[in-house]
């Protein structure tokens, strides 16, 4: 009896140290997402629909386990072995060039492990260790140099830039790599990097892209994805097809939608129906079937998750802990804005899903693990006497 009592006491301690409000928000998002995924895959038949929902639910369960684990791990201690993090980040991405790597939609972004039920997206997993490593790096510069020296700008920027280039070279997935730059930008801004550096950076980036486009050095599909934003009639059956169908689905939903499992585009089986409806365009599924009100609920839920991240950052005991929260918060903000903007035909399609709602096993596990790190930061802000009560 004593053994089971100790086990129960350990479980209580683990739960008590976790941020249950943040976990509750994530779980509400996940349940809502499961309903939308069930509707989005309904046209594939009961067997496939059940399989997709089951995989997503299993990913969420594993993710919740990861949430509690990371809530009880002090990442400051592990980050001292920073070189192991760096080797892991580079090596895990490099696995995509082995026979385990598989290509989809022109990107070699997934690992297919024999007898494993789902594919793994290394860029989603590496994003966690990268964020911790970058937070340690920028936090050191902030504490020692107050982000004033040139090194405090160049070294972290070079770190993030290297990861972007490495992911693109290995997998051709610019969208996943872009998230690393976003995390850096969010952290650098929070750490106090002067605004003019961002102005210089964005200006230089814009000029560089403009020159590459002028001399026709950019990939055609990149140019097409941006061109279609300014001319919706351009290549409406090619580059603009997905977003055109997405806009049609969103516009037809009205205020309250056509009803769950009733959307014309979502439930259609013909070629002209909504593409990628359980992944990239899950927001359009909500818009068509649950209307503007359903979309507002999604936005509100995502907002509260992000708000909790930033609220925790303000309570953090160290610069590194605060920057971890900011990095994951910035990641979610950009991913939500990009995904919804893509559905609204104002942002290019770069393969970023809607956090906690879109189908994807690696994605949801990584998201819960990231929020677990945020939860751990909040837990470490409590005094010892309060943690033990």
């Amino acid at each position: 009896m004593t053994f089971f009592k100790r086990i129960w006491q350990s479980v209580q301690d683990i739960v008590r140290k976790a941020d249950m409000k943040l976990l509750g928000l994530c779980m509400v998002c996940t349940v809502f997402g499961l309903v939308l995924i069930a509707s989005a895959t309904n046209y594939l038949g009961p067997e496939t629909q059940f399989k997709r929902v089951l995989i997503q639910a299993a990913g969420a369960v594993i993710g919740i386990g990861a949430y509690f684990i990371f809530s009880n791990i002090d990442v400051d201690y592990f980050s001292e072995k920073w070189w192991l993090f760096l080797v892991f980040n580079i090596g895990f991405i490099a696995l995509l060039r082995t026979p385990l790597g598989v290509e989809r939609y022109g990107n070699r972004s997934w690992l297919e492990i024999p007898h494993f039920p789902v594919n793994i997206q290394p860029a989603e997993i590496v994003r966690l260790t990268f964020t911790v490593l970058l937070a340690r790096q920028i936090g050191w510069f902030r504490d020692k140099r107050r982000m004033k020296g040139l090194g405090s700008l160049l070294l972290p920027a070079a770190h993030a830039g290297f990861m972007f280039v490495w992911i693109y070279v290995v997998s051709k997935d610019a969208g996943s790599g872009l998230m690393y730059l976003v995390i850096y930008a969010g952290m650098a801004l929070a750490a106090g990097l002067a605004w003019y550096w961002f102005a210089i950076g964005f200006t230089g980036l814009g000029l560089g892209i403009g020159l590459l486009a002028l001399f026709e050095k950019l990939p055609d599909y990149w140019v097409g994805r941006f061109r279609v934003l300014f001319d919706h009639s351009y290549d409406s059956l090619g580059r603009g097809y997905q977003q055109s169908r997405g806009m049609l689905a969103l516009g037809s939903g009205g205020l309250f939608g056509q009803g769950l499992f009733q959307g014309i585009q979502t439930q259609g089986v013909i070629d002209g129906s909504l593409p990628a409806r359980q992944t990239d365009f899950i927001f359009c599924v909500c818009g068509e079937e649950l209307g503007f009100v359903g979309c507002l609920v999604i936005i509100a839920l995502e907002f509260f998750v992000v708000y909790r991240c930033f609220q925790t950052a303000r309570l953090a005991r160290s610069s590194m802990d605060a920057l971890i929260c900011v990095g994951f918060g910035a990641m979610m903000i950009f991913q939500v804005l990009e995904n919804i903007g893509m559905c609204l035909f104002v942002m290019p399609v770069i393969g970023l899903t809607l956090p906690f709602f879109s189908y994807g096993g690696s994605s949801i596990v990584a998201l819960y693990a990231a929020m677990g790190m945020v939860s751990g930061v909040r837990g470490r802000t409590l005094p010892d006497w309060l943690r033990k009560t």
Side-chain angles (χ1 to χ4, degrees), residues 89 99 115 190 250 353:
N89 292 349
H115 310 299
L250 276 173
T353 54

Side-chain angles (χ1 to χ4, degrees), residues 303-362:
F303 168 81
F304 285 120
V305 172
V306 172
Y307 175 77
R308 194 70 175 174
C309 291
F310 290 146
Q311 187 184 53
T312 300
R314 295 183 61 188
L315 302 173
R317 68 180 184 183
S318 68
S319 295
M320 177 183 166
D321 281 354
L323 290 171
I324 287 173
C325 298
V326 169
F328 288 133
M331 173 192 77
M332 283 201 59
I333 287 175
F334 182 80
Q335 202 164 338
V336 169
L337 290 178
E338 161 59 28
N339 182 270
I340 294 177
M342 177 182 70
C343 293
L344 294 174
F345 221 153
V346 296
M347 297 288 277
V349 176
I350 58 174
L352 293 182
T353 54
L354 190 62
F356 293 109
F357 288 88
S358 295
Y359 174 78
S362 295

Side-chain angles (χ1 to χ4, degrees), residues 1-11:
M1 189 68 180
T2 303
F3 173 76
F4 290 107
K5 187 175 180 180
R6 288 177 180 175
I7 294 293
W8 178 243
Q9 185 65 47
S10 298
V11 171

Side-chain angles (χ1 to χ4, degrees), residues 40 87 89 96 100 116 128 130 147 163 174 250 293 304 327 340 375:
V87 170
N89 292 349
L96 291 169
L100 295 176
F116 198 71
L128 302 175
F130 165 80
M147 297 299 285
M163 289 305 300
L250 276 173
V293 172
F304 285 120
I340 294 177
S375 170

